[in-house]
């Protein structure tokens, strides 16, 4: 993903919040019982305030059946329901936040070549949520802050809001290590297989990236030199679990076309 913000930018807001909390000796906020929901909601609020969330569009008719099938499988592995939202951004992309929200950029539906590639992308994203990769990054940042400030930080509503701004930036950067990405690929392929979508879709997408102009590649999956390794890791996973994967056709020619209405009108959610 495009690096609009670097993770190190967390330092300033964290410090400010801690100073504000300490200066007035106000009681520290109660620890939030479900930080993932809190953060997910804060990200949602900010995307809505920026006018990015698409409230209604015929594109949802193309997205919904895939999203629902994936949700039915993925929700068994996560303690919140998954919800899918279309958003309008510059580059084809998809990203998931803690709490179960998954955002799909409208142009991704035109970018992918078939249903399996879209399903693979969405399965990969829900897997980041299932693995709590976003929360792990956040906690790592908090650990660094605590060390630097010698103080315990608690997540409260205002802090969640500030963290959400950072998280949106973070989600747009190539934030995760190759291991974390590969793990999401593998879990994603399991989820796709269980939802009835050919898990080779993700492999086909990576293979296309090898030949594509890097500016045209969805940033979420464009960990470029590693694409070959990610394909190999997926293929090995398929070989090692024939009872799950052998029934799926590895040939891109077997793909199901994705039917997407052209120039679909979009109405945006407004605050
Ligand atoms: Zn990823």
């Amino acid at each position: 993903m495009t690096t609009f913000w670097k993770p190190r930018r967390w330092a300033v807001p964290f410090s400010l919040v801690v100073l504000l909390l300490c200066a007035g000796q106000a009681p520290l906020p109660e620890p939030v019982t479900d930080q993932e929901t809190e953060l997910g909601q804060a990200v949602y609020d900010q995307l809505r305030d920026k006018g990015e969330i698409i409230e209604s569009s015929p594109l949802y008719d193309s997205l919904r059946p895939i999203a629902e099938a994936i949700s039915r499988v993925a929700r068994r592995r996560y303690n919140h329901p998954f919800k899918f939202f279309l958003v309008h951004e510059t580059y084809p992309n998809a990203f998931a936040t803690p709490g179960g929200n998954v955002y799909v950029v409208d142009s991704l539906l035109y970018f992918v070549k078939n249903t399996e590639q879209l399903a693979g992308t969405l399965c990969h994203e829900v897997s980041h949520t299932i693995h709590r990769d976003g929360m792990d990054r956040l906690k790592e940042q908090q650990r660094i802050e605590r060390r630097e400030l010698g103080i315990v930080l608690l997540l409260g509503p205002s802090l969640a809001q500030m963290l959400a701004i950072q998280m949106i930036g973070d989600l747009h950067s190539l934030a995760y290590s190759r291991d974390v990405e590969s793990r999401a690929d593998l879990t994603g392929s399991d989820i796709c297989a269980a939802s009835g979508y050919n898990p080779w879709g993700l492999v086909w997408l990576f293979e296309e990236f090898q030949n594509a102009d890097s500016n045209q590649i969805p940033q979420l999956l464009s960990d470029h030199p590693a694409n070959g390794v990610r394909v190999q890791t997926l293929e090995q996973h398929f070989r090692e679990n024939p009872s799950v994967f052998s029934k799926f056709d590895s040939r891109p020619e077997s793909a199901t076309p994705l039917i997407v209405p052209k120039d679909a009108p979009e109405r945006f959610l407004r605050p």
Side-chain angles (χ1 to χ4, degrees):
M1 300 187 194
T2 314
T3 308
F4 295 124
W5 290 294
K6 291 287 185 193
R8 293 305 301 159
R9 290 186 57 228
W10 296 61
V12 173
F14 265 131
S15 317
L16 275 176
V17 170
V18 171
L19 285 174
L20 287 171
L21 286 174
C22 294
Q25 292 301 309
L28 288 171
E30 289 292 311
V32 174
T33 49
D34 191 336
Q35 299 185 335
E36 294 183 51
T37 305
E38 179 105 0
L39 266 170
Q41 183 63 42
V43 170
Y44 176 90
D45 290 346
Q46 288 181 22
L47 290 173
R48 182 201 54 207
D49 292 353
K50 289 199 296 177
E52 288 189 15
I53 297 182
I54 298 168
E55 183 179 22
S56 68
S57 161
L59 288 175
Y60 273 111
D61 297 337
S62 305
L63 175 67
R64 194 172 293 116
I66 305 171
E68 284 175 357
I70 291 170
S71 296
R72 273 195 295 276
V73 172
R75 73 181 174 201
R76 291 181 221 136
R77 304 175 69 158
Y78 189 62
N79 57 348
H80 301 288
F82 284 99
K83 293 185 195 148
F84 290 75
F85 300 95
L86 284 164
V87 290
H88 184 76
E89 291 191 350
T90 312
Y91 297 106
N93 204 353
F95 50 95
T97 67
N101 288 348
V102 182
Y103 299 96
V104 184
V105 175
D106 46 8
S107 59
L108 183 68
L109 272 66
Y110 296 101
F111 176 88
V112 293
K113 295 281 195 301
N114 50 58
T115 301
E116 290 81 0
Q117 289 182 343
L118 180 61
T121 307
L122 302 183
C123 289
H124 172 95
E125 288 304 320
V126 299
S127 300
H128 277 311
T129 302
I130 290 168
H131 297 156
R132 295 187 161 76
D133 293 332
M135 287 307 286
D136 283 351
R137 277 191 66 81
L138 191 60
K139 285 178 184 159
E140 179 56 29
Q141 294 297 333
Q142 283 187 306
R143 267 194 292 277
I144 293 166
E145 286 302 315
R146 266 185 230 145
R147 247 197 334 265
E148 288 175 0
L149 297 164
I151 218 159
V152 175
L153 293 168
L154 296 172
L155 190 59
S158 60
L159 186 52
Q161 248 171 17
M162 293 176 119
L163 294 177
I165 298 174
Q166 304 300 330
M167 185 165 261
I168 290 170
D170 214 25
L171 288 163
H172 288 83
S173 64
L174 274 174
Y176 298 127
S177 69
R178 186 183 303 176
D179 286 349
V180 168
E181 290 300 345
S182 261
R183 198 163 58 122
D185 291 341
L186 298 190
T187 302
S189 70
D190 294 341
I191 291 172
C192 268
S195 332
Y197 288 101
N198 189 338
W200 283 91
L202 208 48
V203 172
W204 301 335
L205 198 59
F206 289 140
E207 285 173 346
E208 263 174 42
F209 291 168
Q210 317 283 20
N211 311 316
D213 171 356
S214 58
N215 289 328
Q216 299 300 313
I217 294 174
Q219 300 292 328
L220 79 157
L221 297 165
S222 69
D223 186 10
H224 227 302
N227 284 339
V229 176
R230 289 171 71 179
V231 167
Q232 285 168 18
T233 308
L234 273 168
E235 288 180 344
Q236 186 184 345
H237 183 60
F238 296 167
R239 274 195 307 275
E240 287 172 356
N241 298 279
S243 60
V244 177
F245 296 103
S246 64
K247 62 175 174 279
F248 294 105
D249 195 329
S250 64
R251 297 166 307 133
E253 306 89 83
S254 69
T256 316
L258 178 68
I259 311 293
V260 184
K262 289 231 177 343
D263 302 319
E266 298 178 329
R267 194 171 75 228
F268 290 90
L269 202 59
R270 297 291 173 192

